[in-house]
Amino acid sequence: MKKRRQAKILELIANNEIETQEELQDYLLKYGFEVTQATISRDIKELRLVKDLSSKGRYVYSTGKKRKNNVNYRAGGIFSESIINIDYALNTIVIKCFSGMANAACAAIDSMDNDEVLGTIAGDDTIFMLCRSEEQAREFTEKLKEMLNA
């Protein structure tokens, strides 16, 4: 029940501008989920929802992914401070980082929410990224290199 409810919450905030927990509670009730404000509060915390400024100037619940398309906005100097080299082979991108910096750089890359990236794995100083195709790996590698040189 919890997973279904939380999936519905994600669907609702993706399709509606919901400002308050009470508003979210009303939407959930319409779909047959009778929940208390405390349950909604826990769900918001577990889903790590944030409030983002909507196009209408209202602060609404969001996963925060809409604004994450620009890594420089979120990551600041993480790339310039941690990445040594970026290259690709077939559909895999390999990013070499300074020791201990791969996890932070990988988290910033993951926040970009790119459809062409199937997944990432970070070690201490290396990140592996799997893309859908060699062409997408080449394009994403170029994009990351441009961000480093910006």
Side-chain angles (χ1 to χ4, degrees):
M1 182 64 133
K2 178 179 175 180
K3 288 192 185 293
R4 284 186 28 232
R5 182 181 65 248
Q6 288 184 348
K8 181 54 85 175
I9 289 172
L10 292 174
E11 178 186 325
L12 288 169
I13 66 168
N15 297 320
N16 303 283
E17 291 192 353
I18 299 174
E19 287 185 88
T20 65
Q21 291 182 9
E22 292 79 19
E23 204 176 331
L24 182 55
Q25 188 175 23
D26 291 341
Y27 273 104
L28 287 170
L29 189 57
K30 288 179 188 176
Y31 290 95
F33 294 95
E34 291 188 38
V35 292
T36 64
Q37 182 275 329
T39 299
I40 290 174
S41 183
R42 279 191 298 274
D43 286 343
I44 288 170
K45 185 176 180 180
E46 287 177 16
L47 292 169
R48 296 184 179 170
L49 300 182
V50 296
K51 284 209 170 178
D52 276 337
L53 189 61
S54 74
S55 59
K56 296 177 183 175
R58 300 169 49 199
Y59 283 96
V60 297
Y61 284 109
S62 164
T63 59
K65 290 185 179 180
K66 290 178 188 168
R67 70 170 195 222
K68 291 181 183 177
N69 290 333
N70 181 356
V71 151
N72 290 326
Y73 174 83
R74 182 109 201 287
I78 288 177
F79 287 117
S80 61
E81 298 297 322
S82 61
I83 295 178
I84 298 170
N85 187 35
I86 304 170
D87 206 350
Y88 75 98
L90 298 175
N91 65 331
T92 303
I93 300 172
V94 179
I95 302 172
K96 294 299 288 180
C97 302
F98 290 105
S99 183
M101 298 298 292
N103 278 311
C106 190
I109 291 168
D110 286 343
S111 75
M112 294 174 71
D113 196 34
N114 287 296
D115 292 334
E116 62 266 11
V117 178
L118 293 172
T120 58
I121 275 188
D124 184 58
D125 63 357
T126 306
I127 300 169
F128 285 100
M129 298 176 62
L130 184 63
C131 295
R132 295 183 185 281
S133 68
E134 183 174 359
E135 177 65 19
Q136 288 176 330
R138 183 188 60 75
E139 289 172 2
F140 199 70
T141 298
E142 289 174 9
K143 182 178 178 180
L144 291 174
K145 285 181 177 181
E146 285 174 17
M147 289 169 51
L148 275 176
N149 295 327

